[in-house]
Amino acid sequence: MATTSSETVYLGRDNAIDLQLLSDGRAVDLSSVTRMILRDSACTWEVDSSTSPTSIDWTGGDGALTLHLGQEPIPPGIYLCHLFVYDPTNPNGLFWQKVKISVVNLCEMPISP
């Protein structure tokens, strides 16, 4: 827990961020997880799996977590974010780790057929 990774989000794009949640070096069983929230440390924005269910996917098993943030209303910038994990044992959420995210708005160019 509480490790920091560095990732990039491209607004308007389908790039995903793949993380693996570990505890004592072992993949965590996420089968009882009911919700996850990724929130920037300044508390100016968050992505909540309850309100945006396709943005955070932990159904892959083996501690795998995939973030699909390109369609989320996140302002461009560099953020230190906190990941919170909820399950029946932790109804108030468990701080899991920090994630440094660079959010980039690429110029939209029309794609020629």
Side-chain angles (χ1 to χ4, degrees), residues 1-105:
M1 281 195 278
T3 60
T4 303
S5 63
S6 183
E7 306 291 340
T8 302
V9 171
Y10 298 97
L11 295 175
R13 303 297 175 197
D14 296 326
N15 300 71
I17 296 172
D18 295 317
L19 302 173
Q20 187 174 36
L21 303 189
L22 304 173
S23 179
D24 296 327
R26 295 186 180 156
V28 176
D29 178 5
L30 300 174
S31 62
S32 65
V33 171
T34 57
R35 176 184 187 197
M36 288 193 189
I37 293 177
L38 182 70
R39 180 180 296 139
D40 81 297
S41 59
C43 297
T44 58
W45 62 264
E46 72 178 21
V47 177
D48 186 334
S49 67
S50 293
T51 57
S52 187
T54 60
S55 63
I56 305 175
D57 180 12
W58 61 87
T59 61
D62 207 23
L65 172 66
T66 303
L67 303 174
H68 302 275
L69 303 176
Q71 305 304 317
E72 296 298 317
I74 304 171
I78 299 174
Y79 302 97
L80 181 61
C81 301
H82 300 140
L83 178 66
F84 299 96
V85 178
Y86 296 78
D87 64 17
T89 307
N90 300 288
N92 296 315
L94 177 69
F95 168 72
W96 195 266
Q97 74 181 56
K98 296 176 186 177
V99 181
K100 183 179 178 183
I101 296 180
S102 298
V103 180
V104 178
N105 188 4

